[in-house]
Amino acid sequence: MTYRDSVQRTSPRTQTKITGKVTCKFGSSNGIVRDLSDEGICFQLLFDIGAQTGQEVTIQSEELGFLTGIVRWYRGDKIGIKLKLSSNTAAQISSYYKFFRQ
């Protein structure tokens, strides 16, 4: 069993290819949202921005709009972001599923 298979998730993840931009204290990078859930994002960076665990980041994309979150992990060119949950965040993710994910 792989690690990914053994992790218990509170929200199911959906594989995506949403292009966007992530910004943190030390810089910003374009990239791709590789997976999305109601509570988090896996973002693949085009180049390293020095994001560190616990650091606040913003995510911007045409499909998702403007979201904020906290870096939970980073591995190579990917970072895991726990979204700051709000009714606005929930509406933006719901809108993505309704209008872009058909």
Side-chain angles (χ1 to χ4, degrees):
M1 179 185 304
T2 64
Y3 174 75
R4 177 178 286 193
D5 296 333
S6 67
V7 173
Q8 294 291 325
R9 302 251 183 226
T10 57
S11 300
R13 299 211 171 233
T14 302
Q15 299 296 312
T16 66
K17 292 183 180 179
I18 302 169
T19 58
K21 181 178 184 177
V22 77
T23 303
C24 73
K25 182 178 181 179
F26 301 116
S28 63
S29 174
N30 290 328
I32 300 170
V33 175
R34 288 295 179 188
D35 68 36
L36 172 69
S37 76
D38 292 340
E39 297 181 7
I41 289 175
C42 173
F43 195 93
Q44 184 173 17
L45 302 165
L46 291 181
F47 60 90
D48 186 22
I49 57 172
Q52 298 182 11
T53 303
Q55 191 172 51
E56 186 169 316
V57 294
T58 58
I59 304 102
Q60 294 175 279
S61 81
E62 189 173 314
E63 293 91 341
L64 294 172
F66 183 84
L67 301 168
T68 60
I70 302 292
V71 176
R72 299 290 289 169
W73 55 263
Y74 55 93
R75 294 182 199 108
D77 63 348
K78 294 180 184 168
I79 60 174
I81 302 167
K82 179 173 175 48
L83 296 173
K84 287 192 176 176
L85 302 179
S86 68
S87 58
N88 187 49
T89 298
Q92 286 170 272
I93 292 172
S94 177
S95 177
Y96 165 76
Y97 286 117
K98 184 176 180 180
F99 295 109
F100 294 101
R101 185 86 177 166
Q102 299 175 0

